[in-house]
């Protein structure tokens, strides 16, 4: 077995893997080998990722005096931020809607050229026009920043190391499951071997695996069979590791964790996808609170802060008061504006202070600490002080160590941006912090047994007893890469860069399949017959596909699997009687009757249980506020106690209604209010004009409240308007400001 060849290597020889996921799996596999030998202790092996190994090579060259000048290697986050600075400060960058995607393409373009042995600074010619020419301009700006500050791009380390003297730098090394070799990777191996170094490339060389190709009914059937396969194997061999590859793992991570966790138990489940740090409640609450203090924060941010349990501790009364305040603020126009402006200039502070005086003082204290500009290092100290002022509870002691480690990493990597950015505004600082936090994931330690969920074939490392690859259709691009839009197609094709040569991507997929089959004793590939209403075709990379009947005894049917999940949850049904009516008055008035006619369940929930859907906050005047304005204007305009003609009091009625209902706000808010007033003036004019075409009448009541007795129950209602015709009959008029529907 190729794992045994590790013990043949000198213990001091570093083991190099592709990335942190591979390092985690190799460390687990090495530990499992020694554990199987019943060893209580063993010498640890030095396992390095490729990027960390190249960084150590550069630092060794600097320590040996092999560099013309000592240059500091940037972190990936620093390099990304420097690229963003170069792009956004350029003339073209100032015209972009956003820079995130362009920065990714530019950095990837530079890295691909360097891997192919091409110096980006020496490219040019007829092919390099339009977008490619812009990329070269950005690259020159990037290089100027590097040279001016004695920095080294981490993506250029392999290229730079290959241009250093080999003497004193080269050493023996073991490459574990190396990625497809680039021009520069082959150059390093050739130069170091010529210098007498031993370069071992350790790849799977196991015998042929037992592998099957199965056609199943649909994706659910596919996952159910895969889960049953894993459960059966782990029941027989609980000390082994298995993997299931699901191409859309990132998008379906929560769903798949629940699916397989119900069947296997969450303690036996891990994933190659990290859990977003912001998705962990207490970390997300802290990031949300920092966002609350920044310009441009909206009601959504305030809503999450008011409802966050991490800022109230054990104060139940304050928690309830904050939730009630949040509900009321949803209908408050000032809360929908820029929070900092509404807080200081439009009375939002006074609204909050009446209900939550302590929270108002906390926000005042936090806002008072904020400068206009500061370095990321200073912003780190300021924001942490603000979190303390807001009574953030801090990370709980019961959280796993990996969460604390990831949280500390976010602040450390953000502070590292100081040499690149200098002093920046709060908006830019917050953007950088959130970008780092969204990229920082919490990875679970690799278990020595159980199930690993992966999204790619090449994520299945050593030590697995079997793997099930789902969704293996003819369209599954397991190893496909995309061409870079900033590089000339002729250059990409000539140098066979990733994504430019389909045959290269095809061969990469074939190589990954061969490595997988050589690595695991059992491999199963499955393809659903259809996804939704779309038929699927199995991948032609494998032959011998066979259909699996739904009643196959070796796999549980979808219906049976669903039943087992429900049974495992141990659901129970309990009678929950409705609260008794306190009087004969029907709560909710006529709306309850409307709801009862349309949906009795909704009528019960809203009128009897008092539950309401939270109003969705919107910018400007929402439909509810517009309806209130219309009713109030018409109440004033048609008041039967006012003897003046309605035409003469239109402006007065509208002005009074807006003064009573609509508060003052910012310039943008006032613009929306003025637009609504102009619209309402036109609507009222149309109404009055239509009234002149009616038969003679007089308005005898507006917004009249009354009670109606029906079968012993009292219904309280409000009638918008009652007119009396000259010939005696009365008309009841109900205003509808939206689309009126009658069933």
């Amino acid at each position: 077995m190729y794992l045994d060849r590790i013990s043949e290597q000198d213990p001091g020889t570093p083991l190099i893997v592709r990335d942190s996921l591979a390092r985690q799996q190799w460390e687990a596999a090495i530990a499992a080998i020694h554990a199987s030998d019943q060893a209580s202790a063993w010498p640890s092996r030095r396992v390095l990722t490729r990027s960390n190994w190249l960084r150590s090579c550069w630092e060794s060259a600097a320590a040996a005096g092999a560099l013309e000048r000592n240059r500091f290697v940037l972190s990936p986050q620093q390099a990304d931020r420097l690229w963003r600075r170069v792009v956004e400060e350029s003339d073209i960058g100032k015209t972009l809607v956003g820079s995130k995607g362009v920065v990714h393409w530019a950095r990837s373009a530079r890295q691909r050229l360097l891997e192919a042995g091409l110096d980006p600074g020496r490219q040019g010619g007829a092919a390099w026009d339009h977008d490619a020419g812009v990329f070269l301009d950005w690259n020159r700006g990037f290089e100027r920043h590097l040279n001016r500050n004695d920095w080294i791009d981490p993506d250029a380390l392999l290229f730079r190391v290959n241009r250093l003297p080999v003497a004193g730098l080269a050493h023996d090394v073991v490459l574990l499951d190396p990625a497809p070799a680039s021009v520069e990777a082959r150059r390093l191996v050739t130069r170091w071997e010529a210098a007498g170094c031993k370069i071992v490339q350790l790849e799977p060389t196991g015998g042929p695996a037992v592998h099957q190709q199965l056609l199943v009914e649909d994706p659910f059937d596919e996952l159910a069979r895969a889960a049953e396969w894993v459960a059966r194997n782990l029941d027989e061999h609980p000390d082994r590791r298995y993997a299931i590859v699901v191409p859309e793992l990132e998008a379906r991570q929560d769903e798949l964790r629940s699916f397989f966790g119900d069947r296997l138990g969450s303690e036996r489940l891990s994933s190659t996808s990290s859990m977003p740090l912001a998705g962990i409640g207490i970390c997300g609450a802290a990031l949300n609170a920092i966002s609350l203090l920044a310009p441009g924060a909206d009601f959504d941010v305030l809503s999450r802060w008011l409802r966050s349990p991490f800022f109230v501790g054990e104060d139940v009364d304050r928690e309830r008061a904050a939730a009630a305040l949040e509900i009321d603020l949803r209908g408050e126009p000032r809360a929908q504006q820029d929070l900092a402006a509404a807080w200081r200039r439009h009375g939002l502070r006074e609204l909050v202070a009446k209900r939550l005086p302590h929270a108002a003082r906390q926000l005042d204290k936090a806002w008072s600490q904020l400068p206009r500009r500061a370095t990321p290092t200073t912003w780190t100290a300021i924001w942490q002080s603000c979190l303390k002022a807001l009574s953030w509870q801090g990370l709980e002691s019961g959280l796993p160590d990996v969460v604390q480690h990831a949280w500390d990493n976010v602040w450390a990597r953000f502070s590292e941006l100081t040499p690149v950015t200098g002093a920046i505004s709060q908006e830019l600082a917050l953007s950088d912090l959130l970008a780092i936090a969204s990229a920082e994931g919490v990875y679970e330690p690799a278990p020595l047994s159980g199930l690993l969920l992966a999204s790619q074939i090449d994520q299945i490392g050593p030590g697995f007893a079997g793997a099930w690859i789902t969704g293996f259709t003819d369209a599954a691009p397991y190893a496909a890469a995309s061409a870079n839009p900033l590089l000339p197609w002729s250059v990409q094709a000539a140098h066979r860069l990733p994504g430019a040569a389909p045959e290269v991507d095809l061969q990469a997929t074939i190589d990954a399949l061969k490595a997988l089959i050589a690595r695991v004793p059992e491999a199963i590939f499955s393809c659903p017959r259809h996804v939704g209403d779309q038929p699927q075709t199995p991948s032609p990379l494998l032959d011998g596909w066979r259909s699996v009947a739904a009643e196959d005894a070796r796999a549980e049917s979808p219906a049976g699997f669903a039943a087992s999940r429900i049974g495992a949850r141990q659901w129970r049904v309990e009678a929950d009687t409705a609260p008794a009516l306190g009087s004969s008055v029907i709560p909710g008035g006529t709306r309850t009757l409307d709801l009862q006619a349309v949906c009795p369940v909704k009528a019960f929930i809203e009128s009897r249980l008092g539950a309401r859907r939270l109003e969705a906050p919107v910018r400007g005047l929402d439909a509810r506020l517009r309806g209130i304005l219309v009713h109030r204007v018409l109440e004033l305009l048609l008041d039967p106690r006012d003897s003046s003609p309605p035409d003469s009091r239109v402006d007065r009625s509208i002005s009074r209604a807006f003064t009573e209902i609509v508060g003052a706000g910012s310039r943008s808010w006032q613009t929306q209010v003025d637009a609504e007033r102009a619209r309402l003036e036109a609507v009222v004019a149309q109404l009055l004009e239509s009234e002149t075409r009616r038969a003679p009448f007089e308005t005898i009541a507006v917004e009249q409240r009354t009670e109606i007795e029906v079968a012993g129950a009292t219904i309280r209602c409000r009638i918008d308007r009652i007119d009396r015709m000259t010939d005696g009959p009365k008309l009841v008029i109900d205003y509808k400001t939206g689309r009126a529907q009658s069933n």
Side-chain angles (χ1 to χ4, degrees):
M1 185 178 180
Y2 83 118
L3 290 178
D4 298 332
R5 294 179 57 195
I6 294 179
S7 59
E8 301 172 5
Q9 311 303 320
D10 187 289
T13 302
L15 309 177
I16 311 304
V17 297
R18 282 176 291 181
D19 51 33
S20 57
L21 174 64
R23 180 180 64 186
Q24 191 182 57
Q25 293 187 1
W26 272 100
E27 288 174 343
I30 294 172
I33 293 173
H34 289 286
S36 64
D37 295 336
Q38 298 182 341
S40 56
W42 55 85
S44 60
R45 302 298 300 257
R46 190 182 179 202
V47 182
L48 298 174
T49 63
R50 179 175 179 265
S51 59
N52 286 341
W53 171 57
L54 290 172
R55 185 181 291 262
S56 68
C57 291
W58 182 265
E59 292 169 351
S60 298
L67 305 180
E68 294 181 2
R69 52 180 177 164
N70 194 9
R71 305 180 70 177
F72 175 75
V73 180
L74 295 177
S75 69
Q77 291 76 24
Q78 289 172 321
D80 200 67
R81 186 59 178 84
L82 182 57
W83 265 113
R84 178 180 163 192
R85 177 179 174 182
V86 169
V87 170
E88 292 180 349
E89 291 179 354
S90 68
D91 293 337
I92 295 294
K94 294 174 183 176
T95 66
L96 297 174
V97 176
S99 63
K100 183 177 179 180
V102 177
V103 167
H104 170 74
W105 288 335
R107 184 177 176 184
S108 175
R110 175 180 166 85
Q111 185 178 18
R112 290 186 181 188
L113 291 175
L114 291 169
E115 290 275 352
L118 303 174
D119 188 344
R122 297 186 178 184
Q123 305 306 308
W128 295 83
D129 57 0
H130 305 302
D131 292 347
V134 173
F135 161 70
L136 293 183
D137 289 339
W138 286 339
N139 183 74
R140 283 190 286 269
F142 185 73
E143 288 282 2
R144 281 195 297 271
H145 281 288
L146 294 177
N147 295 330
R148 188 183 305 132
N149 295 281
D150 283 339
W151 291 335
I152 283 290
D153 176 15
D155 298 332
L157 276 177
L158 178 57
F159 186 88
R160 301 300 180 195
V161 166
N162 271 339
R163 279 138 189 88
L164 295 176
V166 177
L169 176 65
H171 52 271
D172 294 347
V173 68
V174 177
L175 305 177
L176 302 178
D177 289 346
S182 64
V183 171
E184 287 298 310
R186 289 192 294 268
R187 177 175 293 163
L188 182 140
V189 171
T190 300
R191 295 179 73 227
W192 285 26
E193 286 182 336
C197 296
K198 182 181 179 182
I199 310 295
V200 178
Q201 302 193 54
L202 202 59
E203 297 181 288
T205 56
V210 176
H211 64 279
Q212 304 179 57
Q213 295 82 250
L214 307 179
L215 286 172
V216 296
E217 288 303 313
D218 53 39
F220 185 87
D221 182 30
E222 186 176 37
L223 292 179
R225 293 177 186 279
E228 178 62 23
W229 170 78
V230 171
R232 184 173 62 251
N233 281 306
L234 287 178
D235 287 343
E236 296 176 2
H237 308 285
D239 57 336
R240 292 183 179 178
R241 284 198 297 165
Y242 293 86
I244 294 179
V245 178
V246 184
E248 62 274 23
L249 176 62
E250 291 287 346
R252 301 176 58 194
Q253 182 171 188
D254 292 341
E255 171 196 350
L256 293 170
R257 281 179 176 273
S258 174
F259 187 96
F260 288 102
D262 286 346
R263 185 65 180 86
L264 304 173
S266 58
E267 70 281 355
R268 304 170 78 180
L269 184 65
S270 61
S271 171
T272 60
S273 295
S274 64
M275 180 185 300
L277 186 66
I280 298 174
I282 196 164
C283 300
L287 295 172
N288 181 77
I290 294 171
S291 302
L292 177 70
L293 305 175
D298 57 14
F299 178 79
D300 288 342
V301 182
L302 176 63
S303 172
R304 287 192 292 270
W305 181 70
L306 285 173
R307 289 181 171 272
S308 171
F310 304 108
F311 290 87
V312 295
E314 302 298 327
D315 193 340
V316 178
D317 292 336
R318 183 186 174 194
E319 184 176 1
R320 290 174 178 170
L325 173 63
E326 190 270 350
I327 294 174
D328 293 342
L329 286 177
R330 286 176 174 266
E332 171 57 50
R334 280 169 284 190
Q336 314 306 327
Q337 305 171 53
D338 179 285
L339 290 182
W343 187 267
R344 296 186 176 98
R345 297 194 295 271
H346 305 306
L348 181 59
R349 186 197 184 284
E350 289 70 22
L351 288 174
V352 175
K354 289 179 182 179
R355 306 277 288 278
L356 286 174
H358 184 58
R361 290 192 296 270
Q362 287 179 326
L363 283 171
D364 283 337
K365 183 178 180 181
W367 263 313
S368 68
Q369 301 182 47
L370 300 176
R372 297 190 63 181
R373 296 175 67 85
T375 64
T377 303
T378 305
W379 279 120
T380 295
I382 291 171
W383 280 333
Q384 290 180 348
S385 177
C386 289
L387 287 175
K388 185 177 180 180
L390 293 174
S391 300
W392 183 56
Q393 302 299 306
L395 294 188
E396 301 167 348
S397 58
L399 286 175
D401 292 340
V402 290
V403 176
Q404 180 70 64
H405 181 68
W407 182 249
D408 293 340
N409 275 349
V410 166
W411 291 105
R413 289 169 180 170
F414 174 66
S415 298
E416 286 177 352
L417 300 183
T418 294
V420 177
T421 64
I424 53 178
S425 66
Q426 188 180 7
E427 295 95 319
L428 283 177
L430 178 62
S431 174
D432 288 335
L433 176 68
L434 295 180
I436 292 174
S438 63
E440 181 70 27
V442 178
Y443 288 91
E444 304 160 300
L448 299 182
S449 62
L451 171 63
L452 174 74
L453 294 176
S455 60
Q456 294 287 337
I457 291 175
D458 57 10
Q459 291 175 340
I460 301 176
F464 285 89
W468 186 305
I469 295 82
T470 68
F472 206 70
T473 68
D474 60 348
Y478 276 97
S482 300
N484 191 291
L486 297 184
L487 295 178
W489 177 257
S490 58
V491 174
Q492 298 188 68
H495 296 278
R496 302 174 73 81
L497 298 185
E503 64 274 12
V504 174
D505 293 337
L506 175 61
Q507 188 58 50
T509 297
I510 294 174
D511 292 342
L513 286 176
K514 290 180 178 178
L516 173 69
I517 293 174
R519 179 181 288 122
V520 297
E522 182 179 8
I524 300 177
F525 300 85
S526 60
C527 171
R529 296 177 184 275
H530 59 85
V531 176
D533 58 354
Q534 296 296 318
Q536 302 295 309
T537 304
S539 173
L541 295 178
L542 297 172
D543 54 11
W545 290 91
R546 68 181 182 88
S547 298
V548 180
E551 61 274 10
D552 189 341
R554 294 188 59 199
E556 203 172 36
S557 67
F561 188 75
S564 70
R565 293 183 70 203
I566 293 174
R569 292 179 184 271
Q570 297 182 346
W571 288 354
R572 60 182 182 180
V573 178
E574 295 184 357
D576 188 7
T577 57
L581 286 172
S583 67
S584 62
V585 177
I586 295 180
T590 55
R591 173 167 172 75
T592 298
L593 300 184
D594 290 339
L595 290 175
Q596 186 73 28
V598 176
C599 178
V601 172
K602 187 174 182 180
F604 175 78
I605 291 172
E606 290 196 8
S607 299
R608 293 291 300 279
L609 302 183
R612 294 286 191 278
R613 176 184 296 177
L614 292 176
E615 295 182 18
V618 297
R619 290 285 185 183
L621 284 74
D622 59 15
R624 176 176 174 273
L625 185 56
R626 288 174 175 171
I628 292 173
L629 280 170
V630 169
H631 278 76
R632 181 55 177 158
V633 168
L634 295 179
E635 180 182 4
L636 296 170
L637 183 66
L638 303 174
D639 188 349
R641 294 170 298 179
D642 193 330
S643 59
S644 61
D647 291 348
S648 66
R649 54 179 190 265
V650 171
D651 290 341
R652 185 172 73 245
S653 299
I654 292 178
S655 296
R656 181 176 171 184
F658 272 78
T659 300
E660 293 175 353
I661 298 171
V662 181
S666 63
R667 181 180 302 175
S668 63
W669 169 254
Q670 195 59 45
T671 299
Q672 297 175 76
V673 171
D674 292 343
E676 176 59 23
R677 176 169 181 152
R679 187 193 73 86
L680 191 51
E681 289 173 350
V683 170
V684 171
Q686 290 177 349
L687 173 66
L688 293 179
E689 195 275 332
S690 67
E691 297 282 78
T692 62
R693 298 195 297 269
R694 291 177 51 193
F697 69 92
E698 67 170 329
T699 299
I700 60 174
V702 289
E703 302 295 330
Q704 177 176 300
R705 298 178 182 274
T706 185
E707 292 185 354
I708 302 173
E709 296 289 335
V710 178
T714 301
I715 303 173
R716 292 173 178 167
C717 58
R718 183 172 60 186
I719 302 174
D720 292 345
R721 173 178 165 186
I722 302 176
D723 288 352
R724 179 189 294 119
M725 312 303 292
T726 55
D727 53 357
K730 295 179 181 179
L731 294 181
V732 176
I733 299 175
D734 186 57
Y735 297 125
K736 294 299 180 187
T737 56
R739 184 185 298 272
Q741 295 181 349
S742 177
N743 297 323

